[in-house]
Amino acid sequence: MYVQGFVLAVPEGKKDAYRDIAERFWEIMKDYGALSQVECWEADVKDGTTTDFRMAVKAEAGEKIVFSWVTWPDRATADASHDKLMADPRMAEQFGAPDGSDMPFDGKRMIVGGFEPIVNKQA
């Protein structure tokens, strides 16, 4: 398994718009091999002293933290999906401007990373 993780700040009033975009993105992503998608809206995010989620994404007043991840069968599938996703005409149809200006969040402050699990336990 391979996991792509995301942390971003979304204006509190744009929760439904963010959820809508995340759900539409899944409909495209799964066509390129994604196994699952989890989108989590801030419920209990504490302020840190050295660093925290808010500092990491330079969250502004009135923004909530979103913590999400997408699982893939392996890194090769995730890597191969990127160019295909960007070339898929549904991306422009669903999400508008390529610079992300139509999104309900500032993509420049989003943290993205790929991870190989070292522990993966489930009940």
Side-chain angles (χ1 to χ4, degrees), residues 18-53:
Y18 179 81
R19 180 186 298 122
D20 178 59
I21 281 178
E23 289 176 357
R24 287 186 284 140
F25 189 54
W26 169 249
E27 293 304 315
I28 300 170
M29 223 172 12
K30 69 181 181 179
D31 289 347
Y32 294 104
L35 300 175
S36 68
Q37 171 188 7
V38 177
E39 301 285 342
C40 304
W41 189 262
E42 173 184 342
D44 183 23
V45 176
K46 306 274 191 262
D47 290 338
T49 54
T50 303
T51 191
D52 62 31
F53 282 109

Side-chain angles (χ1 to χ4, degrees), residues 2 4 10 16 20 37 41 52-53 55-57 61 73-74 77 98 102-103 111 114 118 120:
Y2 186 71
Q4 288 179 318
V10 178
D16 290 337
D20 178 59
Q37 171 188 7
W41 189 262
D52 62 31
F53 282 109
M55 285 187 249
V57 296
D74 50 51
T77 303
D102 293 337
M103 292 291 165
I111 298 171
I118 59 170
N120 182 16

Side-chain angles (χ1 to χ4, degrees), residues 2 14-15 17-18 47 51 59 63 70 87 91 93 109 111:
Y2 186 71
K14 294 188 177 183
K15 182 178 182 180
Y18 179 81
D47 290 338
T51 191
E63 290 183 326
V70 175
M91 291 292 286
E93 292 166 9
R109 294 186 284 134
I111 298 171

